[in-house]
Structure formats: C-alpha cells, structure tokens
C-alpha cells in the first residue's frame, strides 16, 4: 500500500512539481530530497526542492488572488472548507498510510489521531467563520477585522497534516491567501493535501505549495516583502531564524516552537489513573510533540510507587513495524532525531539519573530502523540537561518535589512555556496550581483534546495562538473607522 502511494504521486507528476496558481508546475531548481522510511532506513521517494524563484512565483500568485479572495463572502469560503473537510475524511486511509510511511507513525495512531484531528481543524475553521463578527461597533466607532494578506506557512515533520490544517484552515477562513512550505522530511501527506485543495475547487493562487528546505525556501518566504505574515511551527532555533529574516519587512510572525512541559502530580492524585495517563501523554507520537509532558513532577514520598506504575505502563508499549496493527509506537521520524535521542539518553545516564526502563540503542528485537527504547529516568534533578532541554523522543524524566510551591517553581524553571498538566482529586487546588504555571495550555486530569482550545506558548515557546477563535484572529488585522455613524 505504501509503495502504491508513492507510485500514485509519481505517476501524477507530483514529486517533481510545486503547486502554484492552481497548477502543478515543475520546480525551477534541480535539487532533490530523498524521503526515507524511518522503519527501514530505505529511500522511498525523491521530491523536488523548490527555490527562491518558486517562492516568488507563488507569492505573486497569492498576491493576485488576495484581491478577490479577501472580499469573497463568508458563505463561499465556508463551502470551500466544507469540501476540503469532506475530501480529507474521504481520503483518510491514503493520508494515514502516507504519514506512517514518511515519519513512522504507527498506522493505528495515524488512523485514530493524526488524520481525524487534522480534519477537525478544517471543520472548526469553517464553524468559526460562519459565526465570527467581522464588523462590530463600539459607540460611534466601527471595528472591522480584515484578512491580513498573503501568509507564508511553515510546518514541521512530526504532525505533518495536523499542522498544515491548523494553519491553512483559519487562514483561508479569514480571507487570506497562502504559500505553504511543509517539511521536506515528511512531504507526501502535504502533496496529498494539495490534491485535496485542487479537487475542492480552490481558486487559483489562494493556496500554493512549495516544497523545500529552510535555508532556501523558508528564508525566501520569510524575507519576501509581499508576504504579510509568517506562521511557523518548529524548533525554537528555526523560529529565531524566521523572525530575523522577517524583521526588515516588519511582517507579523506567529511562532509555535519548542517545549519542555511539566506534569504536576499533586499529593492527592489517584496514581493508578494519573501516572499511566501521564506516561501515555509523554510518549504520544513517540514523544515527538512540542507539548509532550516529558517532566513528571511527583511528591517525594510517593516516588517509588510512581516508578513502579510508570514501568508497568511503559511495559505495555509495543515498539515495532508501524504498519502492524499491534504496534503502538513506531520509530522516530528521521536519523537526526534518532541520534539526538540516543545522545540525550547517554547524557541522562552520565548525569546520574536512574534508569527505570529503556536506555540507549534499539529494542533488542529490532536491528534497523530509527527505533528507540521507551526510556524513563527517575531521580532527575531539575537542572539536569534531560530536565531542561527538549529531547523530542520517547524519554520521560521523573522529578521529585517536597512541596506544592516547589513543584510550581520546578514547573516554571524552564525557558519554555507551551503546555502543562496538573493531576489531583481536589479540583480547586488543581485549578490554583494551573493558574500559577506559565504556559499557554494547562490540562487538568487529562481531559479530552479540544480543537477550540487556543494553543501557543509563553517565553521561548513562541508567540501567537493557533486553534479556535484565537487561531482565526491571528490572520486578521484590526481597522477602526471613526465617524462610521453620523
């Protein structure tokens, strides 16, 4: 099935083309990027890497299209998003297979989570568009919210479809036109998404896609004077580079960057429920989520009990071929990430943290592929590298605390502030702790994911918000008209 997806894209001429002004056109450059199956380390496809010239053509098309798309009716934009939503669901299995192939997601996880939640972003953008008050009044002043303009969207490899829809949906709903640069490491689902946009009847120039790397395409998009806004999801390092490139043209920059999220287990928490759920959340998507709660903060007197429950939870994971329905966790997505995880596990051991499970190397039954052993450290000091740096892999640090005040201090003792979790039976106490944590989202007692909850970071985790109404408003400018009522 996986080779069939690549052959489908290849036979349609997608792999060596970019999508500009409603058409698939050959990239201006000669460079290619090899897509690697992380479960086998074997190449599965080659895609064309776009150039600054491709970016210029895409931005010009988006600028032309903005004239009419920005003043189109909300009904017409909602209908377009309806069609996009329906096509994603109709082609859900294609997307799931592509995501499993390009970044190693277990097929069950791709089917149950990666694709459905991506579709939800389109649905919510459509619903918000239908009810959003683009014109309001404040006394004699009219407040208009208008599309900001041409938006450059830069998306990562770890949630390749989910992050695309989280940006494209609200941008189009707002009346913006877009140029998308997906990660060159997981581009297959992005090409399938461009097909969806075309088949949904997107007007020429409203949506454009240019594959490419950061130094060439990302930099050209960030610096282009006709791009009004850049939205990037990626590492903090990449976010800084984008902001620097965007600064001379004073464009808006929205950044969803790194994280080192705490999971504060309060003294009254039900450990039998809180700890397994915390382990599952930390290792979701093989730990490759910027908001993964990879620091579990626990009362010192309950540390041994937490270790025992955490070990039992991790022992239930099935690491292996991502195409197998029995697999819960596939490989990490690429060699660079595999090397990073192995390096950080070695650092944790050298720092004196205690291994509860896992450790360096692949699981014993696997001799190739970017597979990592689900690793839990305990007796972690808050200043250890494994407690401060984003690892972006299946590594959890358990940190003991002596008081709730100390737990809050440890939770906030990081340059990041993207997500956080709090567990406790006393909801009033849990809410009080949540209010003290400096992060863009806090989850109390592992609630269900909500596409309406705004998502974004404090500190070096970025700025701006995605999802929900706030995600739509990122793509809007505010205009005040005085004398509107006379």
């Amino acid at each position: 099935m996986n080779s069939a997806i690549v052959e489908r894209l290849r036979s349609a001429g997608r792999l060596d083309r970019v999508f500009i002004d409603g058409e698939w056109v050959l990239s201006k450059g000669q460079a290619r990027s090899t897509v690697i199956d992380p479960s086998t380390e074997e190449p599965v496809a080659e895609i064309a890497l776009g150039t600054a010239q491709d970016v210029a053509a895409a931005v010009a098309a988006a600028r032309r299209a903005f004239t009419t798309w920005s003043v189109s009716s909300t009904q017409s934009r909602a209908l377009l998003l309806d069609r996009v939503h329906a096509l994603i669901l109709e082609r859900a299995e294609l997307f799931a297979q592509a995501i499993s192939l390009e970044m190693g997601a277990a097929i069950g996880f791709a089917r149950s989570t990666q694709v459905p939640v991506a579709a939800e972003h389109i649905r919510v953008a459509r619903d918000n568009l239908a009810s959003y008050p683009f014109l309001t009044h404040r006394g004699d002043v009219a407040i208009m919210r208008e599309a900001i303009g041409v938006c450059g969207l830069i998306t990562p490899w770890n949630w390749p479809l989910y992050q695309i829809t989280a940006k494209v949906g609200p941008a189009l709903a707002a009346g913006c036109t877009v140029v998308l640069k997906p990660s060159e490491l997981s581009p297959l689902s992005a090409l399938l998404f461009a097909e969806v946009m075309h088949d949904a009847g997107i007007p020429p120039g409203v949506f454009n896609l240019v594959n490419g790397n950061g130094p060439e395409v990302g930099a050209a998009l960030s610096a282009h004077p006709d791009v009004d806004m850049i939205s990037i999801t990626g590492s903090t390092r990449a976010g800084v580079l984008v902001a620097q490139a965007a600064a001379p043209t004073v464009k808006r920059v929205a950044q969803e960057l790194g994280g080192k999220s705490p999971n504060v287990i309060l003294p009254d928490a039900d450990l039998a429920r809180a700890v397994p759920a915390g382990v599952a959340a930390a290792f979701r998507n093989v730990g490759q989520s910027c908001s993964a709660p990879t620091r579990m903060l626990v009362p010192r007197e309950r540390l041994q009990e937490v270790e025992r429950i955490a070990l039992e939870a991790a022992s239930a994971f099935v690491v292996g071929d991502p195409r197998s329905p029995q697999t819960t966790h596939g490989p990490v997505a690429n060699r660079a990430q595999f090397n990073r995880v192995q390096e950080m596990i070695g650092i944790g051991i050298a720092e004196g943290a205690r291994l509860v499970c896992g450790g360096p190397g692949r699981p014993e039954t696997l001799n190739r592929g970017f597979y990592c052993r689900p690793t839990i450290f305990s007796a972690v000091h808050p200043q250890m590298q494994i407690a401060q740096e984003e690892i972006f892999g299946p590594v959890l640090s358990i940190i003991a605390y002596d008081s709730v005040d100390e737990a809050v201090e440890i939770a906030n003792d990081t340059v990041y502030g993207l997500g956080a979790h709090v567990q406790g039976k006393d909801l009033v106490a849990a809410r009080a702790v949540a209010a003290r944590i400096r992060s863009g989202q806090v989850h109390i007692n592992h609630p269900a994911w909500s596409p309406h909850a705004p998502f974004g970071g404090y500190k070096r985790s970025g700025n701006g918000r995605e999802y929900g109404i706030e995600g739509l408003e990122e793509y809007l400018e505010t205009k005040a008209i005085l004398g509107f009522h006379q």
Side-chain angles (χ1 to χ4, degrees):
M1 181 66 173
N2 293 314
S3 59
I5 289 174
V6 173
E7 185 53 40
R8 178 182 184 278
L9 291 168
R10 182 183 291 114
S11 63
R14 306 294 187 243
L15 299 179
D16 56 354
R17 283 172 163 78
V18 292
F19 187 73
I20 296 176
D21 210 14
E23 297 182 356
W24 292 93
V25 296
L26 288 171
S27 170
K28 302 297 183 186
Q30 301 302 313
R32 295 290 185 270
S33 177
T34 301
V35 181
I36 301 294
D37 179 347
S39 69
T40 64
E41 304 180 45
E42 296 294 329
V44 293
E46 276 198 346
I47 62 159
L49 291 179
T51 65
Q53 192 176 355
D54 293 316
V55 170
V59 172
R63 177 58 61 193
R64 289 191 299 270
F66 181 72
T67 303
T68 53
W69 183 252
S70 61
V71 296
S72 61
S73 70
T74 57
Q75 292 86 351
S76 63
R77 300 202 296 274
L79 285 171
L80 186 281
L81 291 171
D82 260 333
R83 293 193 294 272
V84 172
H85 180 251
L87 284 172
I88 291 174
L89 295 181
E90 182 181 305
R91 301 175 188 181
E93 183 62 18
L94 277 177
F95 279 112
Q97 293 284 348
I99 292 168
S100 183
L101 175 63
E102 67 190 355
M103 56 84 59
I107 190 63
F109 182 73
R111 288 169 177 158
S112 68
T113 305
Q114 287 265 7
V115 178
V117 296
E120 276 294 277
H121 285 312
I122 299 295
R123 183 190 65 80
V124 169
R126 176 205 62 200
D127 290 351
N128 288 338
L129 169 63
S131 61
Y132 189 79
F134 289 92
L135 175 64
T136 59
H137 301 278
R138 190 178 302 160
D140 291 337
V141 179
I143 310 296
M144 297 186 68
R145 304 302 303 275
E146 299 179 332
I148 192 170
V150 175
C151 299
L153 310 178
I154 300 175
T155 56
W157 48 259
N158 57 320
W159 291 86
L161 180 63
Y162 174 90
Q163 288 294 342
I164 288 173
T165 58
K167 298 182 190 297
V168 172
L172 296 185
C176 296
T177 55
V178 305
V179 180
L180 170 67
K181 189 208 90 66
S183 170
E184 69 276 18
L185 299 176
S186 53
L188 304 180
S189 54
L191 294 173
L192 292 175
F193 181 77
E195 289 187 339
V196 162
M197 298 304 292
H198 175 272
D199 295 348
I202 193 81
V206 172
F207 170 86
N208 307 272
L209 179 147
V210 180
N211 271 312
N213 59 32
E216 175 81 10
V217 172
L221 196 56
S222 302
H224 200 293
D226 282 339
V227 172
D228 301 288
M229 173 182 173
I230 290 286
S231 177
I232 175 175
T233 297
S235 68
T236 298
R237 178 195 61 81
V240 169
L241 293 174
V242 164
Q244 290 172 336
T249 51
V250 200
K251 55 172 59 70
R252 183 181 297 175
V253 179
Q255 302 166 311
E256 193 265 281
L257 307 176
K260 192 68 179 178
S261 300
N263 184 2
V264 180
I265 297 184
L266 295 174
D268 71 334
D270 177 0
L271 296 189
R273 177 185 183 277
V275 174
V279 171
F283 290 111
R284 184 171 179 247
N285 204 33
V286 200
Q288 298 169 123
S289 297
C290 45
S291 60
T294 54
R295 293 184 297 146
M296 183 178 286
L297 281 52
V298 306
R300 192 174 304 277
E301 65 272 13
R302 308 189 75 181
L303 180 59
Q304 289 188 340
E305 188 180 357
V306 168
E307 290 176 354
R308 177 184 59 78
I309 298 172
L311 174 60
E312 290 176 0
S315 299
F317 296 159
V318 178
V319 180
D321 181 357
R323 264 74 77 181
S324 168
Q326 285 72 45
T327 294
T328 61
H329 293 71
V332 295
N334 52 69
R335 183 176 297 279
Q337 201 53 42
F338 177 81
N339 292 341
R340 166 70 175 172
V341 172
Q342 298 305 314
E343 176 190 13
M344 291 304 295
I345 290 174
I347 287 172
I349 294 171
E351 288 180 314
R354 181 170 65 248
L355 268 177
V356 175
C357 65
R362 298 180 180 87
E364 293 179 0
T365 57
L366 300 165
N367 56 20
R368 67 170 183 168
F370 304 133
Y371 294 98
C372 298
R373 300 170 69 190
T375 298
I376 299 175
F377 285 105
S378 188
V380 175
H381 188 277
Q383 296 307 312
M384 287 180 178
Q385 277 185 259
I386 57 171
Q388 288 290 322
E389 296 185 18
E390 184 176 45
I391 300 173
F392 224 64
V395 182
L396 172 65
S397 294
I398 300 177
I399 303 171
Y401 66 82
D402 294 305
S403 70
V404 171
D405 285 344
E406 184 190 14
V408 172
E409 183 180 345
I410 294 170
N412 288 331
D413 185 18
T414 169
V415 298
Y416 299 112
L418 189 58
H421 291 243
V422 179
Q423 323 301 326
K425 295 177 183 176
D426 184 340
L427 192 55
V428 173
R431 288 171 180 160
V433 171
R436 297 171 64 190
I437 295 176
R438 300 277 295 168
S439 67
Q441 272 194 358
V442 184
H443 298 235
I444 296 177
N445 293 329
H446 295 291
W449 173 81
S450 172
H452 297 284
F455 181 68
Y458 288 27
K459 300 184 279 187
R460 296 187 195 176
S461 287
N463 54 70
R465 293 295 180 267
E466 295 191 303
Y467 318 165
I469 292 292
E470 290 77 8
L472 173 66
E473 291 178 335
E474 283 295 322
Y475 296 92
L476 297 172
E477 278 285 21
T478 301
K479 177 186 287 181
I481 305 178
L482 289 75
F484 190 85
H485 300 287
Q486 295 190 28

